[in-house]
Amino acid sequence: MSETNPFAIAQRQINDCADILKLQASERAMLLTPMRELHVSIPVRMDDRSVRVFQGFRVQYNDARGPCKGGLRFHPDETIDTVRALAAWMTWKCSLLDLPLGGGKGGVICNPKELTPGELERLSRGYVRAVGTFISPEKDVPAPDVYTTPQIMAWMMDEYSKMAGENKFGLITGKPLPLGGSAGRGDATARGGMFTLREAAGVLGLNLKNATAAVQGFGNAGNFGAQLVESMFGCRVVACSDSRGGVRNRDGISAAEVCRHKEETSSVIGLPKCTPVSNEEIIEADVDILILAALENVVTDRNADRVKAKVILELANGPTTPEADDILYRKGVHVIPDFLCNAGGVTVSYFEMVQNMYLYCWSLEEVQRQLDLRMTKAYHQVLEASKTHRINMRRAAYVVAVRRVVEAMQLRGWV
Ligand code: NAD
């Protein structure tokens, strides 16, 4: 049975990398646990005047290379171990992209779909008041993640600015454009993944024009992923899904039509001219490219053997278990691992921080050019490490990223 506790998986991946790098015991110990974490209770006045108390977290995993950076999730199944794992992965992601940042993550156990806009705003502001002394532009900078939006970032920035008595646009990234957001942030995660797909296709000799793709998860990362594989490379999306199920059509599904349908009905299911497909079947779809853009642990030792895709793009965090990784590597499936593949989001968030600091706005072209440079460089560094050490792409990404974090800790005299 695959381990499914995300933090146990993250720790196992760290131990594995520490063995490859032959790290000292103190270095390993620092990497295996978060440096700091905060648990908060957030009382929220509901519309019916009752008060509900929500549990929230913020984890600062490692800040040796700079202020922590990482998203904030609103999800009914959120756990502290998920947040710890995501904060660890943010640490490696920022390091891999060579950003001067550490890793953090936050979460609130709630179902935003069941909250009214007023309740969601009060919860968002309440979270910032609860963690207000723990985060700051210099210490720890949150961003959107699953079920959190630019509007939520705007409320949080506003609440923090009121607490500080001055505008603090740099507190948070993924803000709307009129409030110091960056051009290109909306599709940055998916676009960054596309740059790595382009490089991978070059290495594998895969012709992307007319290649087929399946997309699991049709939210921020997944819907842009579907649109961009079509518009950038001419791929044909033949299946896609969300939390309620999926649809398929071998002749191709227009990503723009799925977006329209989802906006009208809040799901991809029922899209005209398609047949239903389950989330399990999407993983095993007969396609060239499988884009994973939902949640953790969807490719496991139970289904990895049945994956038919040549390339897996992990836009989601932690979608593949370590056992599945080994099976996929043996099968020759080229996995572009999460903290490389989806690093476009944090990279443009970093550009947003830089622009906020200098009160200067870059053009969309400049953002995309800089993103391409960083993603392409990181992809080839990982590929190189994979070849040198004869290890899969995820282990290789760990080797590149963890080595830099350890070097920073050594230079600071921590280990
Ligand atoms: P989102 O809330 O916009 O979308 C999530 C999507 O997944 C929704 O369409 C939802 O219906 C679907 N989903 C939920 N449970 C599912 C299930 N069991 N099976 C299939 N689909 C399911 O979130 P997002 O921001 O797109 O994040 C998706 C993943 O990408 C997460 O793992 C997140 O950590 C990762 N990620 C996102 C960003 C970003 O910038 N948005 C950056 C890096 C990583």
Side-chain angles (χ1 to χ4, degrees):
M1 266 287 279
S2 287
E3 169 68 71
T4 53
N5 178 322
F7 190 48
I9 291 174
Q11 287 182 314
R12 190 165 148 190
Q13 290 164 337
I14 297 162
N15 267 322
D16 192 37
C17 175
D19 291 342
I20 297 171
L21 290 176
K22 299 188 173 50
L23 295 185
Q24 311 276 351
S26 59
E27 294 161 347
R28 190 187 290 254
M30 279 302 287
L31 297 174
L32 276 171
T33 48
M35 294 184 69
R36 284 178 291 278
E37 60 183 49
L38 185 64
H39 297 226
V40 294
S41 298
I42 312 158
V44 176
R45 177 78 60 191
M46 307 301 278
D47 284 0
D48 66 3
R49 304 298 300 153
S50 66
V51 173
R52 248 181 88 184
V53 181
F54 294 88
Q55 300 305 312
F57 315 105
R58 186 75 197 170
V59 172
Q60 295 169 357
Y61 200 84
N62 187 298
D63 62 6
R65 288 174 48 88
C68 292
K69 184 86 195 80
L72 170 67
R73 272 186 188 186
F74 282 0
H75 200 277
D77 302 330
E78 192 63 290
T79 66
I80 183 61
D81 274 345
T82 311
V83 181
R84 286 174 181 144
L86 290 163
W89 291 327
M90 282 307 298
T91 309
W92 321 136
K93 193 186 301 187
C94 291
S95 171
L96 185 63
L97 271 288
D98 215 2
L99 309 177
L101 299 170
K105 203 81 182 188
V108 176
I109 306 172
C110 69
N111 187 349
K113 292 178 188 170
E114 290 171 359
L115 299 175
T116 66
E119 290 165 349
L120 191 61
E121 176 173 353
R122 291 192 288 281
L123 173 61
S124 304
R125 291 182 183 277
Y127 178 79
V128 165
R129 284 194 302 277
V131 303
T133 54
F134 199 64
I135 57 174
S136 80
E138 291 75 30
K139 282 192 284 198
D140 182 6
V141 180
D145 197 84
V146 176
Y147 298 152
T148 52
T149 60
Q151 174 62 74
I152 291 175
M153 301 302 112
W155 288 326
M156 291 187 167
M157 181 280 290
D158 182 69
E159 191 65 26
Y160 188 81
S161 296
K162 283 178 181 158
M163 289 162 66
E166 59 190 39
N167 273 333
K168 288 282 189 187
F169 283 15
L171 171 78
I172 210 158
T173 59
K175 300 181 292 294
L177 272 179
L179 290 179
S182 175
R185 178 61 182 87
D187 70 6
T189 301
R191 189 174 293 274
M194 294 304 132
F195 293 137
T196 64
L197 172 62
R198 180 196 61 206
E199 296 307 302
V203 170
L204 301 171
L206 173 67
N207 182 5
L208 289 176
K209 180 117 186 93
N210 287 326
T212 51
V215 183
Q216 187 193 48
F218 213 81
N220 177 301
N223 97 70
F224 284 119
Q227 294 186 56
L228 291 173
V229 279
E230 265 181 22
S231 63
M232 286 173 72
F233 309 123
C235 296
R236 186 157 42 100
V237 176
V238 295
C240 63
S241 69
D242 61 23
S243 57
R244 299 206 212 152
V247 287
R248 78 170 135 207
N249 181 343
R250 277 310 295 176
D251 296 331
I253 299 173
S254 149
E257 262 173 45
V258 186
C259 289
R260 257 195 310 278
H261 181 79
K262 185 156 167 118
E263 221 167 276
E264 282 162 16
T265 67
S266 42
S267 176
V268 304
I269 55 176
L271 186 75
K273 292 184 260 166
C274 292
T275 50
V277 62
S278 69
N279 265 304
E280 291 71 39
E281 288 169 313
I282 287 257
I283 303 292
E284 300 166 22
D286 188 6
V287 288
D288 299 306
I289 303 154
L290 176 61
I291 301 181
L292 301 175
L295 295 173
E296 305 83 30
N297 300 324
V298 292
V299 186
T300 67
D301 54 357
R302 287 197 303 276
N303 58 7
D305 228 1
R306 293 195 293 275
V307 167
K308 296 183 193 68
K310 300 181 181 75
V311 183
I312 295 184
L313 246 68
E314 292 187 342
L315 290 181
N317 283 308
T320 308
T321 64
E323 292 81 4
D325 255 339
D326 291 338
I327 296 170
L328 295 171
Y329 188 55
R330 278 201 302 276
K331 273 168 66 90
V333 179
H334 189 74
V335 178
I336 308 181
D338 47 9
F339 68 90
L340 167 62
C341 186
N342 67 32
V346 72
T347 303
V348 175
S349 271
Y350 163 66
F351 297 159
E352 184 174 331
M353 287 171 75
V354 172
Q355 293 170 80
N356 289 163
M357 270 175 203
Y358 288 96
L359 290 177
Y360 187 80
C361 298
W362 297 0
S363 66
L364 178 62
E365 292 70 34
E366 183 59 13
V367 168
Q368 291 177 351
R369 191 181 68 82
Q370 295 270 357
L371 177 62
D372 192 349
L373 285 175
R374 287 199 181 248
M375 295 299 301
T376 300
K377 186 171 172 192
Y379 175 84
H380 286 287
Q381 286 173 336
V382 172
L383 185 69
E384 197 54 42
S386 158
K387 286 183 187 158
T388 307
H389 296 277
R390 294 168 186 270
I391 49 180
N392 68 34
M393 290 286 280
R394 190 180 323 277
R395 286 197 170 100
Y398 264 93
V399 164
V400 176
V402 168
R403 192 183 270 142
R404 289 180 186 152
V405 175
V406 170
E407 186 188 13
M409 291 197 298
Q410 286 168 344
L411 287 166
R412 294 180 73 143
W414 292 358
V415 287

